[in-house]
Amino acid sequence: TLPTTLNGNTMLLITMDTASEVENDCKVNKVGHSHSHDSWPLCLVEISLDVDADRDGQVERNNPNKGSWMWGPNGHGAILLVNCDSERTYGKSICEMSDLKDMSPMVLRTSGPAKLPAGYKLTMHISQGDAESVRVFRTRSTSFVKDYPLVLGSEDLSKEVPYLGGNAEMNFYVEGLRFPDIDFEGLISISLSLLEPSSQGFPETPIFTDRVVFRVAPWIMTPNTLNPVEVFICSTSDNYQFLKGMKRLVENSGYKLKVCHEYMNRGDRWMQDEIEFGYIDSPHQRFPVVLDSPRDGELQDFPYDVLLGPDFGYVTRTAYDEEVSSLDSFGNLEVSPPVIVNGKIYPLGRIIIGVAFPTATKGRNMTKVVQDFLWAQKVQEPIALFSDWLLVGHVDEFMTFVPAADKKGFRLLLASPDAGYKLFRGLQKDGHGQAKMFDGLGAEEEITVDEILSDDKLRAENNYVQSCIDWNRDVLKRELGLDDDDIIDLPILFHVMEENRAVAYYPDMVNMIVLGKNLGIPKPFGPKVDGRCALEAEMTSLMEGLGLSCTYIDDFASYHKLLGEVHCGSNVRREPFSFKWWNLEM
Amino acid sequence: TLPTTLNGNTMLLITMDTASEVENDCKVNKVGHSHSHDSWPLCLVEISLDVDADRDGQVERNNPNKGSWMWGPNGHGAILLVNCDSERTYGKSICEMSDLKDMSPMVLRTSGPAKLPAGYKLTMHISQGDAESVRVFRTRSTSFVKDYPLVLGSEDLSKEVPYLGGNAEMNFYVEGLRFPDIDFEGLISISLSLLEPSSQGFPETPIFTDRVVFRVAPWIMTPNTLNPVEVFICSTSDNYQFLKGMKRLVENSGYKLKVCHEYMNRGDRWMQDEIEFGYIDSPHQRFPVVLDSPRDGELQDFPYDVLLGPDFGYVTRTAYDEEVSSLDSFGNLEVSPPVIVNGKIYPLGRIIIGVAFPTATKGRNMTKVVQDFLWAQKVQEPIALFSDWLLVGHVDEFMTFVPAADKKGFRLLLASPDAGYKLFRGLQKDGHGQAKMFDGLGAEEEITVDEILSDDKLRAENNYVQSCIDWNRDVLKRELGLDDDDIIDLPILFHVMEENRAVAYYPDMVNMIVLGKNLGIPKPFGPKVDGRCALEAEMTSLMEGLGLSCTYIDDFASYHKLLGEVHCGSNVRREPFSFKWWNLEM
């Protein structure tokens, strides 16, 4: 009861430090007041919407930073996965318990009387803008079963949630629906308001709102320096030799080989080009996610029908208004190992794509929808190289990365016509001018070292190719912070076809599969010296210095002649980075 | 001349430290080589594309940071203005010298022989994605006149630029075309490549590329705490009294009054609602820019036809797929003074808009195109309040900011029905229950203090209004880092109309014009005590404590009755911040 000396200019600040045990268990009595009622009822309810804002996998109690998101090891803010695997069809209710693990837990903690004062209620709500990116489910226990009804989604931006009374916790599960993209930074808010009844006929008004923020986890690619998990290749009617070579390599290396059979691939052998393996990660869950190319060859059903499954996610981008070109195949989408560039650290490496050189009057490009998606993931800031000089137009035709124990932990391998000519001139000088390339592949293929070196047109073509690769070499040095010592030039010649676009002259050794210390390299069928292929010898010698072992795989008829090689015809799912993307300093 | 002991495995690294004075003035002679030519010609050309990357208003020489952009006082990166004023129509050539000042200077510095070796050339280029956001002009001096032809734009992504020979500088002017928005972060690159000829029939290839990066300057709003420059109001057939009051206030305050006459406003008096004044800023140029609302009332031609001019820019957003509502009027778009929130500094304040409360099943909102634009400017991170509880739905109906010498440099003023009832109850208690509101405005308007206090429906309506304002008060405290001491409650009553939406019961004193220390406030026509309006007395007393002077302007018939007040009917262009937006730490 307050003193009677209060006048109309006094403001009362009333604080309560314990939640009410019964409704309106405190009152402020008014003395000598003209109004009909002579006390104000008071009721204290503690409400906290809680998430894992400190990123330790547990939902802590009322983290002061839960309403904002900050990058870095000293950062904060909860993380949401796009639930893009397939524990269920896209229904409104959760069927499998395992599906809950893909969602971010969220807890509503309340403390107060058994029920709220008449007319008060709790409402959870999201904004219209966030509604296409998130759904919220809750746990409901009935006497027989637990179920998980949908609380919020695009059809319900706001819903009352029950107030349980006493000290209660209600569990929610938050599901991401969309990856970051050009029109979606990835941040999502969920609010919980206590609504107060108004006088007759007026809407209820919020008197307290608690808010939590999530960031949707980006899709992350895995470079050649990460350990393989499984290798994917296609079986076709004509690639038995290749399949056998690959099988031996993969099994000897100790990894799992998965073969996509012809009923599924319908002759499309370009396993690299239809898909890119990546993953998504959060403190509570992590799983692989395949990015499906808008290329859509005959392999197009494979990622959705075969790869997508429980704890294996799927995402794609569709080019509605754009022409899809060969540059949209994911042989044109690679990622570097971790690098430091002018002091800036990229602990997850940088994505590498190939586009048209901008001074070209007309050129092919990777579609904007895919480029936008890649840039929006943010954590592996992309680099655009110039790949349109190639007939097929993929960056994996002239570059790859291999692990190394020294220096930066890897080397960049580049196709180099200059290195090729140097090797051939050396052979000629040492008296092997009559040694034959393509020996044993049929008379029409064979050509001597002397003939190659005397072909001025081929030399001019390779000068052009070298200048295209050199420009990319400069970009890679600058954007990955590389020195010349970090780069190894491989002896590879090209020739130039229609529209001045280049293809490999013999199997393109840089287009390899990297399985730990074992490399699967297209067998180049180079000129033999003392019975040994001079190109293999040079390649093996270059890689031996790094402790890497080379296996040459005959892909001549079934891949090389169709303008691809070992890398184009395979794909590797790798272990994720141990580095956590949310610890990036942005 | 090199020693004769070189063999095929030697790599030559040749460095030159001075640019060539004549073409191919250096040669590397080859001895004992079988090729037909016996020397390699060498030529060194220094090329640097330069911009004002250190933001001092001058283009420095080859800044090592010119290819990237970083926020903050220790940051770097050049700045581009959207050339949205009107020195010229949108032609392909620059006519007015003053137009050049709106563009960012860029210099191509070359040093080398009088001409490049045969077939080499310089090309400037931009990406397809940037082409809609930027144009580049260059200076060309002929014997008679200087002109400024277009070099790059959406129709020319790439163009050869002449090599002038010797030590030369060529001046370019870069023009921004688009403000940052949801699909455009604001960064733009311009590259310059040296192209090398290839053998017969092959495309030229770049052997060196230099790149500069610009960020387009954001549109910045000006809070009430900045000094006014000019005040805009409309003249209509019925607002003579208002016009007279405003004219006296503005002139006495020492500012310029600009009247928009009826032939232009066609009776639309809501000068606040059609436009928002802001500015854009760079190290080399700064000018005001008006944001035109998609509201498009009868005032819609005013910003484009009258305001847009030399050194006065214009920008608008058009809602193609959305319904425009009253919440798109810019009485619903305000900006706070500079604030510090939990240690985070907002030196340019924060934008404030009003939207529907998300728990409402249906509500009006500001259009997404305008919201997207505001958020994309980044430097005044917006706050969304709940304004849809008002019939007109504008945040300026319940809040404003006034300057103050103490505390945070300002106070937030909030309309407060509770403060209004407290004042009326005080009057009743002191024996003024029969004092009349709206005295002198006609018998049908008049109402006594006792009558107001005994109206239970009005009290219920105001309880509802107070709860709506209280929720916004909590948001403003949290998002602006305010204490209760930073807020002043003004005695203002509302009543609730159709669809449970509120309007001010008497002229809404918070809807004021702030001109330095002088406030122009809607005359409230409150009950008189000893011949003096009790509402004016309270308001004046509250503002006097801050050193502010109140002028009450009669807007009853011509504004209040039409659901607006002084602020709705006026607009103020203010001086820009002295703080430079690029010095923000993001």
Side-chain angles (χ1 to χ4, degrees):
Chain A
T1 301
L2 297 162
T4 57
T5 54
L6 289 175
N7 63 39
N9 293 319
T10 308
M11 177 184 275
L12 283 179
L13 182 66
I14 298 168
T15 61
M16 291 172 71
D17 53 13
T18 318
S20 301
E21 294 189 0
V22 300
E23 185 187 349
N24 301 336
D25 58 356
C26 297
K27 284 189 173 57
V28 180
N29 291 323
K30 289 178 278 185
V31 175
H33 198 280
S34 62
H35 267 61
S36 55
H37 54 291
D38 62 354
S39 72
W40 294 291
L42 292 177
C43 175
L44 178 68
V45 182
E46 287 179 19
I47 299 170
S48 179
L49 189 61
D50 287 336
V51 291
D52 177 18
D54 62 2
R55 304 164 180 171
D56 66 353
Q58 302 298 321
V59 175
E60 64 273 14
R61 191 173 283 271
N62 205 9
N63 188 315
N65 292 319
K66 67 187 181 181
S68 65
W69 212 97
M70 211 172 92
W71 294 92
N74 301 316
H76 59 261
I79 289 160
L80 199 60
L81 296 179
V82 178
N83 191 6
C84 55
D85 66 346
S86 69
E87 269 93 6
R88 73 198 136 116
T89 50
Y90 228 57
K92 283 212 169 178
S93 191
I94 303 171
C95 302
E96 302 280 339
M97 283 302 294
S98 63
D99 209 19
L100 292 178
K101 295 209 185 81
D102 303 337
M103 306 195 194
S104 299
M106 180 170 73
V107 179
L108 173 58
R109 295 189 167 104
T110 52
S111 183
K115 60 194 189 74
L116 291 175
Y120 285 75
K121 61 188 189 193
L122 296 174
T123 302
M124 190 175 285
H125 46 98
I126 51 178
S127 71
Q128 178 78 56
D130 286 353
E132 58 189 274
S133 309
V134 69
R135 298 199 295 185
V136 179
F137 298 86
R138 76 173 173 92
T139 311
R140 181 171 60 187
S141 292
T142 65
S143 42
F144 297 105
V145 292
K146 250 188 174 176
D147 72 343
Y148 304 92
L150 183 65
V151 179
L152 299 179
S154 56
E155 286 167 28
D156 280 301
L157 302 184
S158 158
K159 197 172 275 179
E160 184 177 351
V161 295
Y163 171 79
L164 299 179
N167 291 313
E169 296 197 351
M170 191 182 299
N171 292 310
F172 294 86
Y173 296 94
V174 186
E175 176 185 49
L177 300 177
R178 274 181 87 191
F179 280 91
D181 212 327
I182 192 165
D183 58 350
F184 175 49
E185 199 199 339
L187 292 173
I188 281 169
S189 300
I190 300 174
S191 299
L192 186 105
S193 291
L194 176 62
L195 298 187
E196 183 179 52
S198 282
S199 325
Q200 66 290 3
F202 298 114
E204 296 137 333
T205 51
I207 56 171
F208 169 80
T209 298
D210 207 18
R211 196 172 72 105
V212 295
V213 169
F214 292 89
R215 183 184 287 277
V216 174
W219 179 78
I220 299 172
M221 287 176 60
T222 55
N224 283 351
T225 45
L226 290 173
N227 282 334
V229 178
E230 43 188 16
V231 175
F232 292 81
I233 50 175
C234 290
S235 145
T236 62
S237 59
D238 58 355
N239 77 341
Y240 175 73
Q241 197 62 28
F242 174 80
L243 219 61
K244 207 171 74 173
M246 288 293 283
K247 195 165 177 223
R248 190 176 304 135
L249 169 68
V250 174
E251 284 172 0
N252 288 347
S253 306
Y255 305 112
K256 201 154 70 179
L257 182 71
K258 293 215 170 165
V259 176
C260 171
H261 292 284
E262 190 150 24
Y263 72 91
M264 174 58 66
N265 68 49
R266 292 168 285 195
D268 184 351
R269 66 202 66 204
W270 308 115
M271 183 53 88
Q272 182 67 220
D273 290 336
E274 188 59 47
I275 56 174
E276 187 73 39
F277 288 113
Y279 68 97
I280 57 177
D281 196 4
S282 73
H284 58 280
Q285 173 72 311
R286 179 174 74 190
F287 57 79
V289 175
V290 61
L291 176 65
D292 185 4
S293 163
R295 162 187 187 263
D296 289 348
E298 294 297 319
L299 258 172
Q300 66 168 305
D301 296 337
F302 171 72
Y304 193 85
D305 290 354
V306 177
L307 296 175
L308 173 62
D311 290 336
F312 205 121
Y314 172 94
V315 59
T316 190
R317 284 295 177 270
T318 307
Y320 292 105
D321 312 323
E322 300 176 85
E323 203 171 328
V324 172
S325 76
S326 176
L327 273 64
D328 289 299
S329 290
F330 287 164
N332 197 30
L333 169 61
E334 300 300 321
V335 64
S336 82
V339 289
I340 303 176
V341 188
N342 290 332
K344 183 167 179 186
I345 308 174
Y346 295 89
L348 304 174
R350 299 187 67 176
I351 288 172
I352 295 170
I353 63 164
V355 299
F357 190 77
T359 56
T361 48
K362 57 176 179 178
R364 298 168 300 173
N365 254 310
M366 186 176 278
T367 48
K368 186 169 179 300
V369 284
V370 173
Q371 288 199 45
D372 286 347
F373 173 82
L374 296 174
W375 258 266
Q377 307 312 307
K378 272 193 184 162
V379 296
Q380 299 178 302
E381 189 188 343
I383 302 165
L385 296 182
F386 166 36
S387 70
D388 190 30
W389 59 273
L390 288 149
L391 183 61
V392 174
H394 299 174
V395 292
D396 72 348
E397 298 177 81
F398 65 87
M399 61 164 289
T400 193
F401 297 95
V402 293
D406 60 346
K407 298 189 193 283
K408 301 189 168 71
F410 68 90
R411 294 288 190 286
L412 167 64
L413 307 188
L414 287 178
S416 168
D418 282 356
Y421 272 97
K422 190 170 135 191
L423 182 142
F424 282 96
R425 279 195 307 265
L427 289 175
Q428 188 180 53
K429 195 175 149 210
D430 294 345
H432 303 291
Q434 285 303 305
K436 287 176 193 154
M437 283 224 63
F438 307 124
D439 195 11
L441 292 170
E444 77 276 20
E445 302 280 1
E446 291 173 4
I447 183 166
T448 66
V449 169
D450 287 342
E451 283 167 333
I452 287 174
L453 288 175
S454 65
D455 185 341
D456 287 344
K457 181 162 169 297
L458 186 67
R459 176 71 252 201
E461 290 172 358
N462 277 286
N463 282 343
Y464 168 65
V465 166
Q466 187 66 56
S467 65
C468 295
I469 294 174
D470 282 347
W471 190 84
N472 287 313
R473 181 194 185 102
D474 285 348
V475 174
L476 286 163
K477 281 171 70 175
R478 186 179 69 226
E479 299 294 335
L480 298 178
L482 304 182
D483 303 319
D484 285 316
D485 287 353
D486 299 314
I487 305 175
I488 295 176
D489 293 306
L490 305 184
I492 296 164
L493 301 191
F494 290 78
H495 57 151
V496 172
M497 316 284 284
E498 66 227 52
E499 290 182 317
N500 276 327
R501 289 194 168 117
V503 300
Y505 186 69
Y506 46 82
D508 185 0
M509 294 185 292
V510 80
N511 194 273
M512 64 177 66
I513 185 171
V514 179
L515 300 174
K517 291 188 174 305
N518 296 323
L519 311 179
I521 300 173
K523 185 176 175 58
F525 291 93
K528 285 185 182 148
V529 173
D530 303 331
R532 192 180 174 202
C533 168
L535 289 168
E536 289 186 22
E538 169 73 0
M539 183 77 198
T540 300
S541 141
L542 289 169
M543 296 300 104
E544 261 173 4
L546 304 173
L548 301 174
S549 152
C550 300
T551 301
Y552 296 92
I553 292 171
D554 180 357
D555 71 353
F556 195 84
S558 54
Y559 291 80
H560 174 70
K561 295 293 261 184
L562 305 173
L563 308 183
E565 315 278 359
V566 172
H567 189 259
C568 306
S570 62
N571 217 319
V572 184
R573 183 163 78 79
R574 297 178 186 276
E575 286 176 7
F577 285 100
S578 56
F579 182 88
K580 299 301 186 182
W581 62 266
W582 51 88
N583 287 330
L584 270 171
E585 308 268 13
M586 295 294 266
Chain B
T1 301
L2 297 163
T4 56
T5 54
L6 288 175
N7 64 40
N9 293 318
T10 308
M11 177 183 274
L12 282 179
L13 182 66
I14 298 167
T15 61
M16 291 174 70
D17 53 12
T18 319
S20 301
E21 292 189 3
V22 299
E23 186 186 349
N24 301 336
D25 55 358
C26 298
K27 283 188 173 57
V28 179
N29 290 324
K30 287 178 277 185
V31 175
H33 197 281
S34 63
H35 267 61
S36 54
H37 53 293
D38 62 354
S39 72
W40 293 291
L42 293 177
C43 174
L44 178 67
V45 182
E46 286 179 20
I47 299 170
S48 180
L49 189 61
D50 287 336
V51 292
D52 178 18
D54 61 2
R55 305 163 180 172
D56 65 353
Q58 302 297 323
V59 175
E60 63 272 13
R61 191 173 284 271
N62 205 9
N63 188 315
N65 292 318
K66 67 187 180 180
S68 64
W69 211 97
M70 211 173 92
W71 294 91
N74 301 318
H76 59 261
I79 289 159
L80 199 59
L81 297 179
V82 179
N83 192 7
C84 56
D85 66 345
S86 69
E87 269 94 4
R88 75 196 136 118
T89 51
Y90 227 56
K92 283 216 169 177
S93 190
I94 302 170
C95 301
E96 302 280 339
M97 282 302 292
S98 62
D99 209 18
L100 293 179
K101 295 209 185 81
D102 302 338
M103 305 193 194
S104 299
M106 180 170 73
V107 179
L108 173 59
R109 295 189 167 105
T110 52
S111 183
K115 59 195 189 75
L116 292 175
Y120 285 75
K121 61 189 187 189
L122 296 175
T123 302
M124 191 176 284
H125 48 99
I126 51 177
S127 71
Q128 179 77 54
D130 286 353
E132 57 189 277
S133 308
V134 68
R135 298 201 293 187
V136 179
F137 298 85
R138 76 172 173 92
T139 311
R140 181 171 59 189
S141 293
T142 64
S143 43
F144 298 106
V145 288
K146 248 187 174 172
D147 72 343
Y148 304 92
L150 183 65
V151 179
L152 299 179
S154 57
E155 288 167 26
D156 281 300
L157 302 184
S158 159
K159 197 173 274 180
E160 184 178 353
V161 295
Y163 172 79
L164 298 179
N167 291 313
E169 297 197 348
M170 191 181 301
N171 292 310
F172 293 86
Y173 296 94
V174 186
E175 176 183 49
L177 300 177
R178 274 181 89 193
F179 279 92
D181 211 327
I182 192 165
D183 58 351
F184 175 50
E185 198 199 342
L187 292 174
I188 281 168
S189 301
I190 300 174
S191 299
L192 186 105
S193 290
L194 175 62
L195 298 188
E196 183 179 53
S198 283
S199 326
Q200 68 289 5
F202 297 114
E204 297 136 336
T205 50
I207 55 171
F208 168 81
T209 298
D210 206 19
R211 197 171 71 106
V212 295
V213 169
F214 292 90
R215 184 184 286 277
V216 175
W219 179 77
I220 299 171
M221 286 177 60
T222 55
N224 284 349
T225 45
L226 290 173
N227 282 334
V229 178
E230 44 189 15
V231 175
F232 292 80
I233 51 175
C234 290
S235 146
T236 62
S237 59
D238 58 355
N239 78 341
Y240 175 72
Q241 197 63 27
F242 173 80
L243 219 61
K244 207 170 75 174
M246 287 292 283
K247 193 164 179 222
R248 191 176 303 134
L249 169 68
V250 175
E251 284 172 0
N252 288 347
S253 307
Y255 306 114
K256 202 153 71 177
L257 182 71
K258 293 215 170 163
V259 176
C260 171
H261 292 284
E262 192 150 21
Y263 72 90
M264 173 58 65
N265 68 48
R266 293 166 287 194
D268 183 351
R269 66 202 66 201
W270 308 115
M271 183 55 88
Q272 183 66 219
D273 290 336
E274 188 60 47
I275 56 175
E276 188 73 40
F277 288 112
Y279 68 96
I280 57 177
D281 197 5
S282 73
H284 58 279
Q285 173 72 311
R286 179 173 74 191
F287 56 79
V289 174
V290 62
L291 176 65
D292 185 2
S293 164
R295 162 188 186 261
D296 291 347
E298 294 296 320
L299 258 172
Q300 67 166 304
D301 297 337
F302 171 70
Y304 194 85
D305 291 353
V306 177
L307 295 176
L308 172 61
D311 290 336
F312 205 118
Y314 173 94
V315 60
T316 190
R317 283 296 176 269
T318 307
Y320 292 105
D321 312 321
E322 302 175 85
E323 203 171 327
V324 172
S325 77
S326 176
L327 272 65
D328 289 299
S329 291
F330 287 163
N332 197 31
L333 169 61
E334 300 300 320
V335 64
S336 83
V339 288
I340 302 175
V341 188
N342 291 331
K344 182 166 180 188
I345 307 174
Y346 295 88
L348 304 173
R350 298 188 67 176
I351 287 172
I352 295 169
I353 64 164
V355 299
F357 189 76
T359 57
T361 47
K362 56 176 183 179
R364 298 168 300 174
N365 254 310
M366 185 177 276
T367 47
K368 186 168 180 298
V369 284
V370 173
Q371 289 198 45
D372 286 346
F373 174 82
L374 296 174
W375 258 266
Q377 306 313 305
K378 274 193 183 162
V379 297
Q380 299 178 302
E381 189 189 343
I383 303 165
L385 296 181
F386 166 36
S387 69
D388 190 31
W389 59 274
L390 287 148
L391 183 62
V392 173
H394 299 173
V395 292
D396 73 347
E397 297 179 82
F398 64 87
M399 60 163 289
T400 193
F401 297 96
V402 292
D406 60 347
K407 297 187 193 286
K408 301 189 168 69
F410 68 90
R411 293 291 189 286
L412 167 64
L413 308 187
L414 287 177
S416 168
D418 282 356
Y421 272 97
K422 190 171 135 189
L423 182 141
F424 282 96
R425 279 196 305 268
L427 290 175
Q428 189 182 53
K429 194 176 150 207
D430 293 345
H432 303 292
Q434 286 302 307
K436 287 175 192 153
M437 284 227 60
F438 307 124
D439 195 10
L441 292 171
E444 78 277 18
E445 302 280 1
E446 291 173 4
I447 182 167
T448 67
V449 169
D450 286 342
E451 286 167 332
I452 286 174
L453 288 175
S454 63
D455 184 342
D456 287 343
K457 181 164 170 294
L458 187 67
R459 177 69 252 202
E461 291 171 358
N462 276 284
N463 283 343
Y464 169 65
V465 166
Q466 187 66 56
S467 65
C468 295
I469 295 173
D470 282 348
W471 190 85
N472 285 313
R473 181 195 186 102
D474 285 348
V475 174
L476 286 163
K477 281 171 70 175
R478 186 179 69 227
E479 299 294 335
L480 298 179
L482 304 183
D483 303 318
D484 285 316
D485 288 354
D486 299 313
I487 304 175
I488 296 175
D489 293 307
L490 304 184
I492 295 164
L493 301 191
F494 290 78
H495 56 151
V496 172
M497 316 285 283
E498 65 228 50
E499 290 183 318
N500 276 326
R501 289 193 169 118
V503 300
Y505 186 71
Y506 45 83
D508 184 358
M509 293 185 293
V510 81
N511 194 273
M512 64 177 64
I513 184 171
V514 179
L515 300 173
K517 292 185 172 308
N518 296 323
L519 312 178
I521 300 172
K523 186 176 175 57
F525 291 95
K528 284 184 183 151
V529 173
D530 303 332
R532 191 179 174 203
C533 169
L535 288 167
E536 289 187 21
E538 171 72 2
M539 182 77 198
T540 300
S541 141
L542 289 169
M543 295 299 105
E544 262 172 5
L546 303 174
L548 301 174
S549 153
C550 299
T551 302
Y552 296 93
I553 292 170
D554 179 0
D555 71 355
F556 194 85
S558 55
Y559 290 80
H560 174 70
K561 294 294 260 182
L562 304 173
L563 308 182
E565 314 281 358
V566 171
H567 189 259
C568 307
S570 63
N571 217 319
V572 184
R573 183 164 77 79
R574 297 180 186 277
E575 286 175 7
F577 285 100
S578 56
F579 181 88
K580 300 302 187 182
W581 62 267
W582 52 88
N583 287 330
L584 270 170
E585 308 268 14
M586 295 294 267

